Amino acid sequence: MNITRENIDALNAVVKVDIAKEDYSDKVEKILSDYRKSANIPGFRKGHVPMGLVKKQYGKAVLVDEVNKLLQDALGKYLTEEKLDVLGNPLPKPQDDLDWDADAFSFEFELGLAPEFDVNLKGKKAITHYNIVADDKMLDNQVEHIRKQYGKIVSETEVAKDSEITGVFVNEEKEINNSTMITLDKFKGKATAKKFIGAKVGDVITLKTKGLFNDDHDLMTFLKVSHDDAHGLEIEVSFTINEINSRELADLDQELFDKLFGPKAVTSVTELKAKIKEDSEKQFAQQGDQKLLNDVTEYLVDNTKFDLPAEFLQKWMQTAGEEVMDAEQAKEEYEKSEKSMRYQLIEGKLIEKHDLQVSFDDLKDHAKEMIKAQMAQFGQTGSSDEELEGIAARILSNKDEVKRLSDQLMSTKLLNLYKAEANLKTKEITYDDFVKEFYS
């Protein structure tokens, strides 16, 4: 067997594999001999079928199968030994005139080669890492929310500004009939809230769904319609009031503090706000980190310049998926996924350069921490290490879970790398401003 490579350019190559008769003949003869021993052909005793007949009936199929196996094994070994970093998979060149009656065969494969490039994390322009804080306004709102949540429900005779209104949204044509509880701050316009002020149990209020709520997704919650139906929904609905309540705010006393955090963990409003701030900012830190991860990814893709073997990749995409694509579909798919492919190459370069690895011990420790956090949400604390080990072992026996956890850990390692190596500047921002700026 002989394998040669012709480099077309820096990103494309053709590998030629020449297979001679001596490369496959012994294997083919052995398989046919085994077939002869077990073949059941009418007119011949088992094990006494003439070899010529066996070759005539099975020879071509066995030859094709063995040559293909030999070809794939040889090609895979060659790519490994030559340390060729290929994109996609080798594409066999069409051979309509291949003669399987010949003794020797030649096959050619197109290769798309990964580009050579360097990654520079320290760009001239600093990337912002947002430190999201809970300001006084947010803390006051959270305290009021807690007081409402644990407060006493008081029945009222008519709707006021802060009422909790239970009723039924109805539209017969769209088959909407949903019982729900709503507060006036959910509505977008003051005119809508005005319709409710002073209303009593039994009153029916007609509303238009267009621009009804501050968040259009609330149509899904309060009317129980699908996401698709909620989009652009312009109908009239009636709301029949069944119950009107207000909340008598809970006292900020030790009894409430103990309900929230356990005995004597918090003993004053100042400590309550400090605890809310601490817990909130832990969650905000995750959002700030995710924003940083996204921004560094965008920076790296936009500022790390290299070419890709686009023509090869589009050709490979035509047959790589579950459904075969034509050239136009493959081009469209390539354009959609090019950015993702570029980042995968950049990420791979960073992982190799900085030796970022996820070990089994890393996975196990991460799984145990995840289990402890989930159990703590349900008030289950103090689990022994043996119990955690057992649960972690069950999780890590699942390939999909191992992949998911490995991806999480690698993202964390990359994030830590970016924090240490990238050109960053820190900006403090309130949670409300962060949401307005990036998610409105």
Side-chain angles (χ1 to χ4, degrees):
M1 184 185 299
N2 185 42
I3 303 180
T4 56
R5 181 174 85 248
E6 178 189 357
N7 290 326
I8 307 301
D9 55 38
L11 299 173
N12 295 275
V14 173
V15 169
K16 185 179 180 184
V17 183
D18 294 319
I19 297 177
K21 185 174 182 179
E22 57 265 24
D23 295 321
Y24 62 82
S25 58
D26 288 348
K27 184 69 173 174
V28 169
E29 286 296 327
K30 183 180 184 309
I31 291 172
L32 291 175
S33 294
D34 292 340
Y35 273 21
R36 183 175 181 240
K37 293 173 187 176
S38 58
N40 286 311
I41 297 178
F44 298 96
R45 285 186 297 149
K46 190 174 181 179
H48 291 77
V49 179
M51 179 56 86
L53 189 57
V54 172
K55 286 185 177 181
K56 184 178 180 181
Q57 189 159 345
Y58 301 109
K60 184 72 65 71
V62 171
L63 171 66
V64 171
D65 189 46
E66 287 308 309
V67 168
N68 278 323
K69 285 180 185 176
L70 189 64
L71 184 62
Q72 295 304 321
D73 289 346
L75 188 59
K77 187 177 179 183
Y78 175 80
L79 295 178
T80 302
E81 289 177 348
E82 294 292 311
K83 297 180 180 177
L84 290 177
D85 191 1
V86 299
L87 301 180
N89 292 315
L91 284 178
K93 281 194 168 186
Q95 288 179 282
D96 297 330
D97 58 348
L98 184 61
D99 181 10
W100 286 104
D101 291 322
D103 288 337
F105 309 99
S106 289
F107 301 91
E108 291 186 336
F109 293 86
E110 295 178 62
L111 302 182
L113 305 176
E116 291 290 332
F117 61 92
D118 292 318
V119 182
N120 179 21
L121 284 170
K122 293 191 182 295
K124 291 181 181 179
K125 186 178 178 181
I127 298 170
T128 303
H129 185 201
Y130 291 93
N131 176 29
I132 308 169
V133 297
D135 60 355
D136 290 339
K137 179 184 174 183
M138 180 182 179
L139 295 176
D140 289 340
N141 288 339
Q142 286 295 309
V143 170
E144 185 175 357
H145 175 74
I146 289 169
R147 294 184 72 191
K148 282 183 178 179
Q149 184 181 355
Y150 287 88
K152 181 182 176 183
I153 296 176
V154 179
S155 180
E156 303 289 353
T157 57
E158 62 180 48
V159 176
K161 180 183 175 183
D162 295 324
S163 295
E164 295 178 356
I165 311 154
T166 300
V168 183
F169 280 107
V170 174
N171 178 289
E172 292 184 0
E173 183 184 347
K174 293 290 185 179
E175 298 182 347
I176 294 169
N177 190 312
N178 188 53
S179 180
T180 188
M181 190 279 286
I182 196 166
T183 53
L184 297 185
D185 61 337
K186 290 290 182 181
F187 295 117
K188 188 172 185 177
K190 290 180 180 179
T192 302
K194 267 188 177 180
K195 289 185 177 183
F196 282 85
I197 299 296
K200 297 178 173 57
V201 171
D203 286 355
V204 179
I205 297 170
T206 302
L207 304 165
K208 291 182 179 179
T209 56
K210 184 179 180 181
L212 181 59
F213 297 110
N214 290 312
D215 183 348
D216 285 341
H217 287 94
D218 281 344
L219 289 168
M220 298 162 58
T221 303
F222 293 114
L223 273 59
K224 279 290 182 288
V225 294
S226 69
H227 185 277
D228 290 342
D229 288 340
H231 183 69
L233 184 67
E234 294 186 34
I235 60 172
E236 280 193 350
V237 291
S238 65
F239 184 83
T240 303
I241 299 174
N242 292 335
E243 190 177 333
I244 305 167
N245 295 306
S246 63
R247 289 270 178 171
E248 190 177 284
L249 298 182
D251 291 331
L252 292 170
D253 55 18
Q254 195 59 50
E255 182 181 355
L256 177 61
F257 301 154
D258 290 349
K259 279 181 183 176
L260 293 169
F261 302 108
K264 303 298 181 182
V266 167
T267 60
S268 67
V269 175
T270 301
E271 289 181 9
L272 170 65
K273 288 186 176 181
K275 181 65 174 169
I276 295 171
K277 183 178 177 68
E278 179 188 355
D279 291 346
S280 298
E281 289 179 356
K282 280 181 183 176
Q283 295 179 22
F284 298 161
Q286 295 176 6
Q287 290 175 267
D289 284 349
Q290 186 59 55
K291 174 74 175 135
L292 176 63
L293 200 59
N294 294 343
D295 289 346
V296 175
T297 298
E298 288 289 331
Y299 161 78
L300 289 172
V301 171
D302 291 342
N303 292 277
T304 308
K305 304 300 182 184
F306 54 83
D307 292 325
L308 289 172
E311 186 178 338
F312 169 84
L313 288 170
Q314 289 174 43
K315 194 185 296 186
W316 168 69
M317 282 179 169
Q318 289 183 52
T319 56
E322 292 181 4
E323 295 183 8
V324 175
M325 301 181 191
D326 61 28
E328 191 60 37
Q329 289 172 320
K331 182 181 179 183
E332 187 178 331
E333 185 62 29
Y334 172 79
E335 288 170 354
K336 286 180 187 174
S337 56
E338 182 185 0
K339 203 169 186 178
S340 174
M341 283 190 281
R342 286 182 176 279
Y343 181 67
Q344 286 176 10
L345 288 169
I346 294 166
E347 186 181 272
K349 182 76 76 173
L350 289 170
I351 289 170
E352 180 183 11
K353 181 179 178 180
H354 297 276
D355 194 26
L356 303 181
Q357 302 294 330
V358 175
S359 68
F360 181 76
D361 285 340
D362 290 336
L363 281 172
K364 186 169 69 172
D365 291 342
H366 182 58
K368 286 162 69 174
E369 288 302 317
M370 181 184 71
I371 295 160
K372 282 198 287 187
Q374 289 176 347
M375 293 174 78
Q377 289 178 354
F378 298 97
Q380 300 175 23
T381 57
S383 297
S384 69
D385 194 60
E386 186 178 352
E387 289 174 308
L388 294 172
E389 287 270 355
I391 301 171
R394 288 197 296 274
I395 291 173
L396 297 178
S397 66
N398 183 310
K399 283 185 180 179
D400 292 337
E401 281 298 303
V402 169
K403 173 75 167 60
R404 184 177 69 84
L405 294 177
S406 295
D407 289 345
Q408 284 180 359
L409 280 172
M410 186 52 72
S411 287
T412 300
K413 287 177 181 286
L414 286 165
L415 179 65
N416 291 336
L417 173 68
Y418 299 157
K419 287 179 179 180
E421 299 289 336
N423 181 13
L424 304 180
K425 64 178 179 182
T426 302
K427 179 180 178 180
E428 189 171 285
I429 188 171
T430 67
Y431 180 72
D432 284 346
D433 287 344
F434 180 78
V435 171
K436 284 176 189 173
E437 189 167 346
F438 300 111
Y439 297 106
S440 295

